[in-house]
Amino acid sequence: MTSTTSELSLDEIFNLAKAALINNGANEENADAVATTVTNAERDGSVSHGLFRIPGYVKALKSNKVDGSAKPEIEEVTPTIFRCDAHNGFAPLAHKYGLEKLIQAAHTFGIAGLAIQRCHHFAALWPEVEAISDEGLVGLTSVSYTPAVAPSGGTTALYGTNPMAFSWPRPGKNPIVFDMATASMAKGEIQIAARDGHSVPLGTGLSPSGELTTDAAEIDKGVLLPFGGHKGSVIALMIELLSGPLVGETFSYESKERDNGDGGPVQGGQFILAMSPKILSGKDTSSQTEDFLEKYKSIDGVRVPGARRHNNRKDTGPRQVNTALIETISNLGS
Ligand code: NDP
């Protein structure tokens, strides 16, 4: 099955997303922050975290799980540690409030941490770490979600798809960024493959009866597997700990237990770290990094992580969006 698409400009994408959020109870500030994240995802070709997520954001507003007027509060716990109470709001506004303080502290003290609590994250993680690297710092972040991934060797889901993102600054250039689920594939990609009738590689996940399958719809009903066998599995475990008890929030299974099952983003925590290479190393290491990248890029078949998105970003023209999705979003509470 092939899906039909329609062209939308980036402004039209933003307005479509924002209107759906406003029409369903989000205030201007929250709708603006979420619509910006969604538009930037479409712009960069992160389509599983663009408009595709709007129906879920709206479900969470409609069920009152998420407060569309939430105002995040930032507590300075120590000069280098900040705690953000997102007050049941969506993540993008918590980032807008929290990252500025985190970045200032990392510039002053070399390293700073942000613990986000009571937050609903439904997006890609690269916007957070890129914002940190745009200011000359190294960024690292992770979130957990709800059980969808079986630990290596098992057939029962315990981990979320548990993404982590890392970003390294390059003055005057796009940072080196990777942002990846620790599941073999992001849940959103599985859902899109299931929607469009595409198969996925063997080893991506198991059917409800615990069998390996290439059928995305079966995996969507069953469990995903971690990437890279036991190695991905232990990184997923680390993310459960960093995004849960380290920041005073829930494990994926606890997030699911307290969720109302409306299909919108669950409440959970986020761990964000910012580090200054200048302060930690005591010198300017940017030319050393560039030399390394030259060697890296000289190897045939290799590309810099983040480069696909950064190339997509250069195109300011319209994007192809699933036509049925546009219709669905247009009808959300209008
Ligand atoms: P991918 O496997 O598509 O990509 C992972 C990373 O590897 C990207 O940074 C990508 O860079 C980089 N990369 C890909 N191919 C190469 C290559 N050949 N050489 C070097 N680098 C490469 O991502 P996932 O499917 O794992 O994750 C997709 C998104 O889902 C992420 O943004 C993640 O944050 C999000 N997610 C969010 C969740 C949430 O709860 N909020 C849950 C799970 C996932 P590039 O971007 O340039 O292609």
Side-chain angles (χ1 to χ4, degrees):
M1 188 173 82
T2 49
S3 54
T4 52
T5 60
S6 305
E7 276 195 350
L8 286 188
S9 71
L10 293 175
D11 282 347
E12 286 170 330
I13 289 170
F14 178 86
N15 292 334
L16 180 67
K18 187 168 172 182
L21 295 160
I22 295 269
N23 288 340
N24 286 281
N27 67 9
E28 184 73 20
E29 189 179 38
N30 273 280
D32 214 82
V34 172
T36 300
T37 297
V38 162
T39 306
N40 290 345
E42 292 286 344
R43 177 200 65 192
D44 278 18
S46 296
V47 288
S48 59
H49 292 86
L51 287 170
F52 179 66
R53 296 282 159 175
I54 289 290
Y57 281 113
V58 165
K59 279 178 191 160
L61 288 169
K62 276 184 148 163
S63 74
N64 290 322
K65 178 170 78 184
V66 167
D67 178 1
S69 306
K71 196 146 193 92
E73 260 180 295
I74 313 291
E75 180 192 351
E76 187 177 320
V77 184
T78 74
T80 60
I81 299 296
F82 301 90
R83 196 173 297 134
C84 171
D85 182 348
H87 282 294
N88 292 347
F90 291 127
L93 199 60
H95 302 146
K96 195 171 169 195
Y97 280 58
L99 287 177
E100 203 183 314
K101 287 183 187 295
L102 178 82
I103 287 166
Q104 275 170 9
H107 274 309
T108 308
F109 299 104
I111 188 158
L114 175 63
I116 303 183
Q117 301 176 341
R118 298 211 292 157
C119 187
H120 296 257
H121 202 300
F122 214 33
L125 299 186
W126 56 259
E128 289 91 288
V129 289
E130 280 200 16
I132 292 170
S133 288
D134 285 348
E135 300 299 329
L137 301 165
V138 179
L140 185 65
T141 189
S142 70
V143 296
S144 58
Y145 199 62
T146 56
V149 177
S152 182
T155 58
T156 305
L158 180 65
Y159 303 146
T161 49
N162 291 9
M164 65 185 286
F166 170 87
S167 180
W168 183 274
R170 296 172 70 203
K173 295 181 181 163
N174 285 316
I176 304 167
V177 188
F178 73 76
D179 175 16
M180 52 168 254
T182 47
S184 54
M185 197 175 275
K187 189 79 175 166
E189 299 287 355
I190 294 286
Q191 287 165 348
I192 286 179
R195 181 195 69 191
D196 296 346
H198 296 151
S199 59
V200 295
L202 202 66
T204 302
L206 308 173
S207 68
S209 55
E211 303 298 322
L212 280 166
T213 176
T214 58
D215 185 335
E218 281 294 287
I219 295 172
D220 195 27
K221 288 181 262 166
V223 292
L224 287 162
L225 290 171
F227 82 95
H230 66 278
K231 298 188 185 189
S233 190
V234 295
I235 294 176
L237 169 66
M238 176 186 76
I239 292 171
E240 288 286 333
L241 295 164
L242 293 179
S243 320
L246 180 70
V247 297
E249 261 292 353
T250 41
F251 288 110
S252 289
Y253 82 92
E254 295 173 308
S255 299
K256 184 174 182 182
E257 278 169 9
R258 74 173 169 195
D259 189 55
N260 66 3
D262 62 4
V266 300
Q267 190 173 107
Q270 182 168 10
F271 156 77
I272 310 184
L273 196 65
M275 297 170 275
S276 163
K278 231 177 218 162
I279 296 183
L280 267 83
S281 71
K283 52 191 177 189
D284 183 353
T285 55
S286 45
S287 64
Q288 186 190 7
T289 304
E290 291 308 310
D291 290 348
F292 167 79
L293 274 181
E294 280 314 306
K295 278 206 186 303
Y296 175 93
K297 287 193 284 190
S298 72
I299 301 171
D300 264 355
V302 162
R303 75 157 170 92
V304 178
R308 176 193 61 88
R309 285 187 305 97
H310 295 143
N311 280 334
N312 287 341
R313 198 178 290 180
K314 288 182 201 153
D315 176 4
T316 54
R319 298 300 192 260
Q320 294 294 330
V321 181
N322 181 278
T323 307
L325 178 62
I326 298 173
E327 227 173 276
T328 301
I329 298 173
S330 304
N331 292 330
L332 287 172
S334 52

